[in-house]
């Protein structure tokens, strides 16, 4: 039996028992330095998420799950009622870290529900029992993400044409998850099955997640990337070098509209113009059925300094103002398919989403 595909590095891991530490691969340092950032407090995790030391919707959700365990450890409550209050407090603080990635809120709600259900079903349990149960749930969320990434890879690899050229944007790989990744996990699976293809990596301004992270990660998996500037995509498509565009997602509305890293919308418009398939890869936890369409997805706006500077070096005149939305929304009508751990969803996406999630 073939061994499951494993990432050559760990992006996020728990070190220790009840009073352990969350270790995250500090993505602010890549590709120059591989360094793990220890997170021992809720504030540490908030800062890691806010500053993009840990990023990617699934990884953010996992960090938040362990964050509630750390918050409970920090509070040292002497009763179950105070433990639940500490969980609520930690969740409220973590929820403001980043507004667009729905996995953050999904994980926090799941952990809170786990806590309340455990207390209700185990009236004689003490705080230590609750802590052990919550930590077990956080580990379950992490393992589920690993399994989900593998399933997405298996479902999606059929869409990768042998000998074709794939364009990616931002980073939706092992660095964004606990496993092999979503969009990039599809490429790793196809590569393992012997397919040959070229991968063109958008640099992804302003923080260069494509240049710094995706190009590095592909190399770790044995795939040679071709790095391009964001404004080169149209030229490559016109030249016939791109067979498909493959991206991840931070939140998918009920109708299939998809929020992803800024620049994704433009790629979807170009792909439609050149009649190139545009694929989104995401776990079902990224779907937000409470939001009917993309116009209601909250878009994070980050510091203008990220546009006007890079790593503390000013690249614009002193009086220039920066505009820095971190995400944009791609309309469902421009998405050829969404690859999930449960299968491939094809248009009309709103109907397909309801069917795969078992809702009316």
């Amino acid at each position: 039996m073939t061994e499951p595909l494993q990432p050559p590095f760990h992006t996020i891991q728990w070190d220790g028992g009840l009073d352990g530490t969350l270790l995250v691969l500090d993505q602010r340092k890549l590709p120059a330095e591989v360094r793990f950032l220890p997170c021992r407090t809720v504030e540490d995790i908030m800062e890691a998420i806010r500053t993009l030391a840990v990023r990617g919707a699934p990884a953010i959700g996992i960090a938040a799950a362990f964050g509630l365990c750390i918050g409970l450890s920090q509070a040292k409550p002497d009763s179950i009622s105070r433990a639940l209050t500490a969980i609520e407090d930690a969740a409220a603080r973590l929820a403001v870290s980043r507004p667009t990635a729905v996995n953050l809120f999904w994980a926090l709600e799941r952990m809170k529900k786990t806590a309340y259900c455990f207390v209700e079903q185990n009236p004689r349990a003490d705080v230590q029992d609750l802590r052990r149960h919550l930590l077990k749930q956080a580990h379950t969320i992490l393992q589920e993400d690993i399994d989900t990434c593998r399933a997405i890879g298996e479902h999606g690899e059929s869409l990768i044409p042998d000998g074709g050229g794939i364009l990616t944007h931002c980073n939706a790989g092992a660095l964004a998850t606990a496993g092999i990744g979503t969009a990039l996990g599809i490429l790793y699976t196809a590569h393992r099955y012997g397919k040959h293809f070229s991968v063109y990596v958008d640099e992804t301004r302003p923080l260069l997640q494509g240049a710094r992270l995706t190009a590095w990660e592909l190399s770790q998996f044995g795939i040679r990337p071709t790095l391009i500037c964001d404004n080169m995509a149209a030229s490559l498509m016109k030249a016939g070098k791109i067979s498909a565009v493959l991206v991840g997602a931070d939140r998918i509305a009920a109708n299939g509209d998809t929020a992803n890293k800024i620049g994704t919308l433009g790629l979807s418009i170009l792909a439609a113009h050149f009649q190139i398939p545009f694929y989104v890869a995401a776990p079902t936890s990224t779907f937000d059925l409470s939001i009917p369409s993309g116009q209601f997805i909250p878009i994070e706006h980050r510091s203008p300094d990220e546009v006007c500077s890079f790593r503390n070096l000013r690249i614009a005149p002193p009086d220039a103002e920066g505009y820095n939305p971190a995400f944009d929304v791609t309309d469902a009508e421009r998405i050829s398919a969404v690859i999930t751990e449960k299968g491939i969803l094809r248009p009309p996406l709103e109907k397909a989403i309801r069917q795969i999630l078992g809702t009316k």
Side-chain angles (χ1 to χ4, degrees):
M1 183 176 179
T2 304
E3 288 294 319
L5 183 58
Q6 301 280 356
F9 53 84
H10 292 290
T11 296
I12 186 166
Q13 55 188 315
W14 182 257
D15 181 32
L18 282 180
D19 294 309
T21 299
L22 185 67
L23 299 176
V24 299
L25 181 57
D26 191 343
Q27 298 182 39
R28 299 167 301 184
K29 304 296 183 182
L30 290 173
E33 180 183 358
V34 177
R35 187 178 78 176
F36 286 89
L37 178 69
C39 297
R40 300 184 177 90
T41 67
V42 172
E43 291 73 24
D44 287 344
I45 296 178
M46 291 175 62
E47 183 70 2
I49 294 173
R50 186 187 65 80
T51 62
L52 308 184
V54 60
R55 42 147 301 282
I60 289 172
I62 294 165
F66 283 104
L68 292 196
C69 299
I70 288 175
L72 190 51
S73 177
Q74 272 186 277
K76 295 181 172 55
D78 56 8
S79 68
I80 287 291
S81 62
R82 289 180 178 175
L84 293 175
T85 298
I87 291 169
E88 291 282 1
D89 177 66
R93 285 185 285 160
L94 286 163
V96 301
S97 301
R98 297 194 73 186
T100 302
V102 73
N103 299 64
L104 170 65
F105 309 99
W106 168 85
L108 291 174
E109 287 304 313
R110 177 168 165 175
M111 291 290 285
K112 285 164 54 178
K113 183 177 180 180
T114 295
Y116 280 100
C117 287
F118 178 79
V119 170
E120 182 178 344
Q121 295 169 7
N122 300 274
R124 296 185 178 180
D126 60 20
V127 172
Q128 291 297 93
D129 294 329
L130 176 58
R131 290 182 64 197
R132 282 190 286 267
H133 191 70
L134 269 187
L135 184 59
K136 181 180 179 181
Q137 182 66 208
H139 280 294
T140 297
I141 291 174
L142 184 147
Q143 183 59 50
E144 285 177 357
D145 184 62
I146 292 172
D147 297 338
T148 291
C149 290
R150 288 176 184 153
I152 290 173
E154 293 292 335
H155 287 302
E157 67 86 18
S158 63
L159 300 176
I160 304 303
D162 200 8
I166 310 301
L167 176 64
T168 72
H169 189 67
C170 196
N171 175 268
L175 288 171
T177 68
I180 59 172
T182 54
L184 295 189
I186 292 171
L187 298 183
Y188 302 145
T189 305
H191 177 69
R192 189 187 201 192
Y193 288 161
K195 287 186 177 179
H196 300 278
F197 48 85
S198 301
V199 184
Y200 295 91
V201 179
D202 266 358
E203 60 179 349
T204 318
R205 280 278 293 145
L207 296 181
L208 303 181
Q209 291 96 330
R212 295 188 304 105
L213 306 180
T214 295
W216 177 84
E217 180 180 321
L218 285 165
S219 297
Q220 302 302 304
F221 276 87
I223 298 175
R224 178 179 293 180
T226 299
L227 182 64
I228 65 170
C229 297
D230 292 350
N231 56 10
M232 296 177 183
S235 176
L236 266 68
M237 291 181 183
K238 186 176 182 180
K241 293 183 179 294
I242 306 300
S243 306
V245 180
L246 180 60
V247 300
D250 285 83
R251 189 183 301 222
I252 301 176
N255 72 338
D257 290 352
T258 297
N260 194 50
K261 185 56 59 185
I262 190 74
T264 305
L265 171 60
L267 290 179
S268 74
I269 295 171
L270 289 171
H273 176 78
F274 289 107
Q275 298 182 328
I276 295 169
F278 185 92
Y279 300 127
V280 172
T284 51
S285 57
T286 302
F287 291 101
D288 186 353
L289 300 187
S290 71
I291 291 185
S293 68
Q295 71 181 97
F296 299 104
I297 295 177
I299 299 298
E300 174 187 6
H301 283 253
R302 296 182 62 81
S303 169
D305 290 341
E306 293 180 350
V307 174
C308 298
S309 305
F310 185 71
R311 292 192 168 173
N312 299 319
L313 175 64
R314 183 79 181 183
I315 58 175
D319 61 344
E321 295 183 0
Y323 177 66
N324 192 18
F327 304 92
D328 55 27
V329 177
T330 296
D331 303 308
E333 65 190 34
R334 296 195 184 94
I335 298 173
S336 305
V338 178
I339 305 104
T340 76
E341 76 276 17
K342 295 184 177 181
I344 299 176
L345 283 60
R346 298 187 183 275
L349 288 180
E350 187 166 9
K351 179 180 179 181
I353 291 169
R354 288 200 305 269
Q355 289 177 338
I356 205 165
L357 296 183
T359 59
K360 296 182 179 180

